[in-house]
Amino acid sequence: MLSRVSTYLYLRPKLVLGLLLVPPLLWFLVIYIGSLISLLVNSFFSLDSFTGQIVREFTLKTYAKLFETSNLQIFARTTIMAALVTIACAALAFPLSYYMARFATPRMKTFLYIGVTLPLWSSYVVRVYSWKLILAQEGIVSWFARIVQLDGLLDWYLSLPIVGGPSLAISSTGVFLVFVYIWLPYMVIPIQTALERVPKSLIEASSDLGAKPAQTFRNVILPLAFPGVIAGSIFTFSLTLGDFIVPQLFGSSAYTIGRAVLTFQGTSNNIPLAAAFTMGPILIMIVYLLIARKLGAFDAL
Amino acid sequence: MGESAILFKNVSRHFGEVKAVDDVTLEIHDGEFFSMLGPSGSGKTTCLRMIAGFDRPTLGQIFLYGQDVSNLPPYDRSVNTVFQDYALFPHMTVGENIAYGLMIKGLAKDQRKKQVDEMLDLVRLTGFADRKPSQLSGGQRQRVALARALVNHPKVLLLDEPLGALDLKLRQQMQVELKAIQQRVGITFIFVTHDQEEALTMSDRIAVFNLGKIEQVGSPADIYEHPQTSFVAGFVGVSNLIGGEVAKRITGAEDKFSIRPEKIHLSSMDAKADADMYSATGKVRDVVYLGLYTRYLVELDGGGDLVVVEQNLKSTSMDVMKSKGQQTRLMWKKEHISKLGG
Amino acid sequence: MLSKNTSQPSVERGSRWLQASAIAVLLFLHIPMWLIFLYSFTTDTAAYTFPPPGLTLKWIPQALSNPEMQAALSLSIRVASLATVAALILGTLAAAAVYRSDFFGKEAISFMLLLPLALPGIVTGIAMRSAMSLISIPFSYWTIVIGHATFCVVVVYNNVLARFRRSGGSMIEASMDLGANSFQTFWHIVLPNIGTALLAGAILAFSLSFDEVIVTTFTAGQQETLPIWILGQMFKPRSRPITNVTAMLVVIITALPILLAQRITAGSSDTEGSNK
């Protein structure tokens, strides 16, 4: 019986392909792509401000709201934060990646690789939580500042506008630090992959042609590792753009895209505005991905 | 010999626009060691895969001992394959690999073990049953692949360039061994290769493939001595191809023909050709001393080049070098030329 | 030659500097996580005082017997298990389809499967939330599972597809050649060979689902998975010690399987490497 079925299927490879493809394809088309389409549809609806009900009629009213000053500020604030986090991640990740790719012994490399992937796969919430402990007023940072007698400096820094706040646990600096910590592994792996692919002979050729190590680094290694940086930045940028938990826990009352979306759909049930708002990061990411592809980032993924 | 093991009736296999196999008709006899020889992309492997059942003809039919198998899946054909990369199952021991076909058939464990041991003896791997494929050398893996196929007593055994991955010495040793095993088990072997020497060494008959078609089928001697097309003449061994004006001056006819370099003799200008010989004169343009033999390139007086090979039975490298630039007369027996069609 | 000799010491110095900064970055990645372990034993209950005023073991039994925590943990495990099963089935089917044949849109499939993980979680979350709103689906256990399964598929898919590609195609043909039909071939040859890839994919999918919080926020309604519960504790700390212990528990629960998954995939590539 089974053999009969097997033969029937063997002679019909297209049917088998269909049977294999239909469940995952159906799932993704209906649930995922369907959801994305419903997001798009919802963004053209609006919320009746009196009844609090969603009006299911086509309108551009909701999109128009995005261009109110306060909302534009939200986009700008979030994008700047994402860019700063990305730059910091790249700066921190590079030496580690470079060491892993070029100097570490195979054993050391395995150890470092696990050292980077373990946090990557570890619980996001717990990793965020750990910074609640670190940045708290009585926490390790303040303690350390007291020990080295720099608590005056810390207080002065916190009194600055924009970067400061009542404590490190409630300041843009806190948000920035936590973001860098959380997304750093996503930057290390692609850079390391890109650096691994730089053939050793190229570096030897460069020094053979008279370049000093610093020149080789700047003229050969850095340009070749750049696609890896771009690939990593896709993650750090996109993840920062959409996150609402870190700004909520460590930020001031100023909204970011993520917080805005969460609040619109949650407290005010304004799903149309939340949907329209989400088109912001989607659009920014699409542009970003297009640029990244031009720069060859996808080869490094 | 009379019974046909495999019969291709006007078989074609198209991949989109590409005709990988183009209207092939072919009969392979029971008990034969049959080689399919050709460059890569010539259709030989596709023919093999259609016999195995991994691929099906777009047009035409394939018969296995009189039964139309064109649309049977691989597991319903009494045919087994030795794969180019051996395709041993990495998660099974050597013994389990060989017993796989028997296990699928539902044979009891002790019977499987007995047959596996017999096979291991046959391929001279006695005592290797408990090793993993990853612990074997290339040559040993190849023997396991052979044993795994033979233990099922297939009517036809297919070998897809099985010696390709081995080094030269091992390859030559395995050629002899394969031939011996084939004669011992008496199964029809179909051997796919792009190595003409391998085909000539082992086969009872050879089919030469080119561009999806069969150029010529025949015994190794046939193929070598009487190539029927210029492709066969050029692919199997080295040949001088002569046609047009040059051919007319030598043979009196304008037909294209081929002559093997080793059949041509260099002699002095005043030597006389017998009645059963052709002759031509020319100047030795190049001499390459190759130890066992010397290769000469002779520019014929009326145009055209001939490559001549002579064994260094008495001559030394000093002797042969002297002939460079000299006029010479070339002679060969009329029966040694092959008229080419196509 | 001369220039090489003079540059040698600076390479040495450069690599030592590099080593130091690499270690510093690695410590930055790890110290915060391990600090949670210290805080799980602090006697301080009102603040996050460092250094801890005293150490105690009493929070561990208290946390483990906390009913809210237990309920959240149980929900998380149930969600992650079912999402993993769904991801295993869908990911393996997709990998098999992509591996065995060429068809139009093959590249698009890999891309589509990756999308839920590549786009910010909030996009997937709000998209599903808006779909639920559009066709009035109430929040439930199933809405969480469906959301999780969707972004877990790609890890199984990637693992299984990579294994298929490494295993070499003729193995399946060899099995059929030796008389096994498609089902026997799947059971005796395919499954044992992709087994560890499935296991690794399952572990990663499970931990991905177990830790997820962003999409869950949009698809869970009032239900609390363990990460959501911890998140709630951060906003309105009711019992800091119990949260600390739970956070430690989560680190342990997720770290061990991930190390295991890494061993599995690294081990198999080692043996395949030695084959060559």
Side-chain angles (χ1 to χ4, degrees):
Chain A
M1 178 58 204
L2 268 182
S3 176
R4 200 101 53 78
V5 176
S6 165
T7 304
Y8 182 86
L9 293 173
Y10 188 82
L11 297 177
R12 288 163 189 79
K14 289 225 171 78
L15 176 68
V16 176
L17 179 64
L19 289 175
L20 290 173
L21 267 183
V22 161
L25 216 53
L26 211 61
W27 180 287
F28 268 78
L29 287 179
V30 170
I31 293 173
Y32 190 63
I33 305 296
S35 293
L36 288 176
I37 291 171
S38 87
L39 185 71
L40 192 66
V41 169
N42 256 309
S43 70
F44 289 108
F45 292 162
S46 61
L47 192 79
D48 187 315
S49 45
F50 292 107
T51 60
Q53 293 297 311
I54 295 166
V55 183
R56 296 191 172 178
E57 279 166 32
F58 178 84
T59 172
L60 287 173
K61 226 165 45 188
T62 313
Y63 275 104
K65 279 201 180 149
L66 296 188
F67 295 94
E68 289 168 9
T69 321
S70 60
N71 288 340
L72 284 177
Q73 275 174 348
I74 292 177
F75 281 118
R77 188 180 299 130
T78 316
T79 312
I80 290 169
M81 177 60 86
L84 290 175
V85 168
T86 298
I87 291 166
C89 281
L92 284 181
F94 210 94
L96 179 57
S97 310
Y98 191 63
Y99 183 74
M100 279 169 83
R102 285 247 100 58
F103 295 98
T105 59
R107 272 185 77 145
M108 186 68 176
K109 195 182 279 181
T110 313
F111 172 77
L112 290 172
Y113 189 78
I114 290 173
V116 175
T117 45
L118 200 60
L120 182 99
W121 284 96
S122 290
S123 170
Y124 163 86
V125 174
V126 169
R127 296 182 70 219
V128 171
Y129 181 67
S130 68
W131 280 79
K132 203 80 184 156
L133 310 178
I134 293 169
L135 296 180
Q137 221 147 18
E138 331 76 32
I140 191 165
V141 173
S142 310
W143 168 79
F144 187 74
R146 263 200 315 280
I147 295 237
V148 293
Q149 306 205 321
L150 284 176
D151 40 348
L153 184 70
L154 186 63
D155 288 339
W156 170 79
Y157 180 80
L158 286 172
S159 70
L160 293 175
I162 303 175
V163 295
S167 82
L168 263 184
I170 308 169
S171 67
S172 319
T173 307
V175 174
F176 172 79
L177 279 174
V178 180
F179 271 142
V180 171
Y181 168 75
I182 298 276
W183 309 137
L184 184 57
Y186 292 84
M187 184 65 98
V188 177
I189 302 290
I191 298 184
Q192 190 239 346
T193 312
L195 283 171
E196 291 269 354
R197 288 189 198 158
V198 178
K200 221 179 161 162
S201 59
L202 279 189
I203 293 160
E204 285 165 355
S206 169
S207 67
D208 186 61
L209 294 168
K212 295 206 177 71
Q215 289 172 313
T216 301
F217 181 80
R218 201 175 56 238
N219 296 320
V220 178
I221 296 169
L222 211 51
L224 288 172
F226 196 65
V229 178
I230 298 293
S233 77
I234 294 173
F235 293 110
T236 55
F237 193 81
S238 138
L239 290 166
T240 311
L241 216 54
D243 190 281
F244 55 82
I245 288 172
V246 174
Q248 214 173 352
L249 277 169
F250 298 93
S252 59
S253 55
Y255 270 16
T256 59
I257 296 177
R259 280 185 79 180
V261 169
L262 183 72
T263 314
F264 295 145
Q265 70 83 34
T267 51
S268 53
N269 200 30
N270 193 345
I271 291 176
L273 185 56
F277 232 88
T278 315
M279 294 303 152
I282 292 180
L283 202 71
I284 295 171
M285 277 323 292
I286 287 172
V287 172
Y288 201 98
L289 287 174
L290 287 177
I291 297 171
R293 197 167 71 176
K294 265 246 151 66
L295 297 172
F298 292 110
D299 312 333
L301 280 179
Chain B
M1 273 273 166
E3 202 184 352
S4 92
I6 295 285
L7 181 60
F8 274 57
K9 263 193 186 163
N10 304 101
V11 172
S12 292
R13 177 68 174 105
H14 302 168
F15 295 103
E17 294 285 292
V18 184
K19 290 177 179 170
V21 174
D22 189 6
D23 196 26
V24 164
T25 297
L26 173 67
E27 189 178 0
I28 297 168
H29 306 302
D30 180 43
E32 232 181 346
F33 196 118
F34 190 90
S35 289
M36 294 179 170
L37 174 67
S40 59
S42 60
K44 58 188 193 309
T45 300
T46 309
C47 280
L48 193 84
R49 292 174 56 80
M50 286 192 289
I51 301 173
F54 305 138
D55 222 329
R56 277 176 294 147
T58 316
L59 297 167
Q61 287 168 296
I62 297 172
F63 295 89
L64 173 67
Y65 287 89
Q67 185 199 5
D68 182 355
V69 295
S70 314
N71 285 314
L72 283 186
Y75 47 85
D76 282 342
R77 316 180 173 205
S78 186
V79 167
N80 287 116
T81 308
V82 176
F83 289 82
Q84 188 168 12
D85 61 357
Y86 317 136
L88 299 181
F89 307 129
H91 59 295
M92 296 181 182
T93 62
V94 166
E96 286 167 339
N97 261 286
I98 298 175
Y100 186 77
L102 305 175
M103 177 199 75
I104 295 291
K105 262 185 229 154
L107 225 67
K109 217 168 193 163
D110 49 331
Q111 275 175 305
R112 292 201 306 242
K113 193 182 170 333
K114 194 168 146 271
Q115 294 199 33
V116 167
D117 288 342
E118 279 172 24
M119 274 301 143
L120 283 171
D121 291 344
L122 179 72
V123 298
R124 299 195 289 120
L125 282 176
T126 313
F128 277 68
D130 293 327
R131 305 247 185 127
K132 279 280 175 100
S134 56
Q135 297 167 302
L136 302 183
S137 72
Q140 289 169 333
R141 282 182 214 182
Q142 216 259 314
R143 290 157 199 267
V144 174
L146 185 64
R148 186 178 69 174
L150 281 176
V151 75
N152 305 291
H153 302 292
K155 286 182 180 158
V156 174
L157 183 78
L158 308 176
L159 301 108
D160 183 8
E161 308 223 8
L163 308 181
L166 306 180
D167 60 50
L168 184 66
K169 256 227 166 99
L170 200 54
R171 197 156 72 221
Q172 287 170 339
Q173 185 194 331
M174 280 307 294
Q175 287 171 2
V176 177
E177 223 171 296
L178 262 183
K179 182 77 187 173
I181 288 175
Q182 193 257 342
Q183 278 164 350
R184 211 147 111 214
V185 296
I187 292 173
T188 311
F189 274 35
I190 302 179
F191 189 90
V192 161
T193 180
H194 64 265
D195 182 336
Q196 39 114 358
E197 197 187 306
E198 208 165 89
L200 293 174
T201 315
M202 296 194 286
S203 321
D204 295 320
R205 286 197 307 150
I206 300 172
V208 183
F209 279 74
N210 185 34
L211 300 171
K213 288 181 182 288
I214 293 183
E215 296 265 336
Q216 186 175 352
V217 183
S219 69
D222 238 13
I223 299 267
Y224 188 78
E225 286 170 14
H226 301 292
Q228 283 165 6
T229 67
S230 39
F231 176 79
V232 176
F235 190 74
V236 182
V238 181
S239 275
N240 292 295
L241 298 182
I242 292 167
E245 273 300 300
V246 183
K248 196 172 176 186
R249 218 172 34 256
I250 297 172
T251 66
E254 257 190 67
D255 296 329
K256 217 175 182 187
F257 70 86
S258 80
I259 173 75
R260 299 285 179 192
E262 73 275 15
K263 305 288 191 202
I264 308 176
H265 300 290
L266 292 169
S267 25
S268 56
M269 284 301 285
D270 50 358
K272 269 273 181 288
D274 294 336
D276 62 343
M277 289 184 126
Y278 289 126
S279 88
T281 56
K283 192 172 144 189
V284 178
R285 211 176 65 202
D286 205 3
V287 180
V288 183
Y289 178 76
L290 291 161
L292 185 60
Y293 55 90
T294 303
R295 195 167 65 214
Y296 303 88
L297 184 68
V298 180
E299 199 177 318
L300 295 182
D301 288 339
D305 294 327
L306 279 183
V307 175
V308 180
V309 167
E310 287 212 324
Q311 257 191 290
N312 297 321
L313 293 177
K314 290 179 187 144
S315 44
T316 66
S317 65
M318 297 295 279
D319 301 336
V320 300
M321 283 313 192
K322 274 187 227 150
S323 59
K324 189 168 174 176
Q326 293 186 339
Q327 284 292 121
T328 180
R329 177 174 292 278
L330 307 173
M331 292 193 282
W332 62 91
K333 284 197 167 161
K334 288 181 176 175
E335 66 192 63
H336 285 149
I337 70 160
S338 304
K339 284 221 168 72
L340 303 176
Chain C
M1 221 36 228
L2 235 161
S3 77
K4 259 183 199 159
N5 279 340
T6 51
S7 71
Q8 213 58 44
S10 84
V11 167
E12 282 293 299
R13 226 180 311 130
S15 81
R16 210 166 299 145
W17 179 86
L18 200 67
Q19 188 170 27
S21 46
I23 288 168
V25 172
L26 204 66
L27 287 177
F28 171 66
L29 274 177
H30 281 266
I31 286 176
M33 258 193 346
W34 306 120
L35 211 60
I36 291 172
F37 282 67
L38 178 67
Y39 274 93
S40 298
F41 303 101
T42 181
T43 49
D44 182 12
T45 59
Y48 299 117
T49 312
F50 188 90
L55 297 174
T56 170
L57 283 172
K58 72 176 174 184
W59 307 121
I60 291 172
Q62 276 194 28
L64 291 177
S65 58
N66 181 298
E68 278 179 39
M69 196 286 276
Q70 281 176 347
L73 179 65
S74 139
L75 179 64
S76 272
I77 289 175
R78 278 180 294 136
V79 166
S81 307
L82 205 59
T84 302
V85 171
L88 275 177
I89 295 169
L90 297 173
T92 309
L93 288 176
V98 165
Y99 173 69
R100 76 193 294 272
S101 29
D102 268 314
F103 52 89
F104 180 74
K106 191 166 150 169
E107 296 298 312
I109 288 197
S110 303
F111 186 71
M112 184 173 73
L113 298 185
L114 182 67
L115 217 50
L117 212 60
L119 280 179
I122 196 164
V123 174
T124 309
I126 189 68
M128 291 194 162
R129 173 80 181 85
S130 83
M132 289 165 66
S133 144
L134 202 65
I135 47 178
S136 308
I137 305 171
F139 294 113
S140 71
Y141 166 68
W142 296 102
T143 54
I144 310 179
V145 171
I146 287 171
H148 284 200
T150 303
F151 58 74
C152 286
V153 170
V154 72
V155 284
V156 177
Y157 170 82
N158 278 344
N159 265 289
V160 175
L161 187 60
R163 179 62 56 85
F164 271 138
R165 291 200 168 132
R166 256 189 302 172
S167 311
S170 42
M171 224 153 58
I172 290 168
E173 286 184 346
S175 166
M176 293 198 152
D177 186 70
L178 294 166
N181 65 36
S182 316
F183 301 107
Q184 289 166 322
T185 299
F186 179 78
W187 181 252
H188 292 295
I189 304 300
V190 178
L191 208 54
N193 272 294
I194 64 168
T196 52
L198 284 177
L199 184 61
I203 289 172
L204 294 179
F206 189 93
S207 57
L208 205 59
S209 161
F210 190 80
D211 291 338
E212 215 290 329
V213 60
I214 303 226
V215 175
T216 319
T217 309
F218 292 93
T219 55
Q222 298 301 312
Q223 309 162 85
E224 281 187 331
T225 60
L226 196 60
I228 299 242
W229 181 78
I230 296 175
L231 196 61
Q233 293 299 310
M234 275 190 263
F235 286 115
K236 296 188 283 279
R238 263 165 292 180
S239 172
R240 286 172 212 248
I242 288 177
T243 314
N244 293 341
V245 174
T246 309
M248 175 175 78
L249 201 68
V250 171
V251 172
I252 295 170
I253 288 179
T254 43
L256 292 180
I258 287 158
L259 288 175
L260 182 68
Q262 220 135 28
R263 261 198 102 87
I264 291 167
T265 44
S268 68
S269 69
D270 279 354
T271 50
E272 259 139 47
S274 70
N275 278 358
K276 280 171 195 152

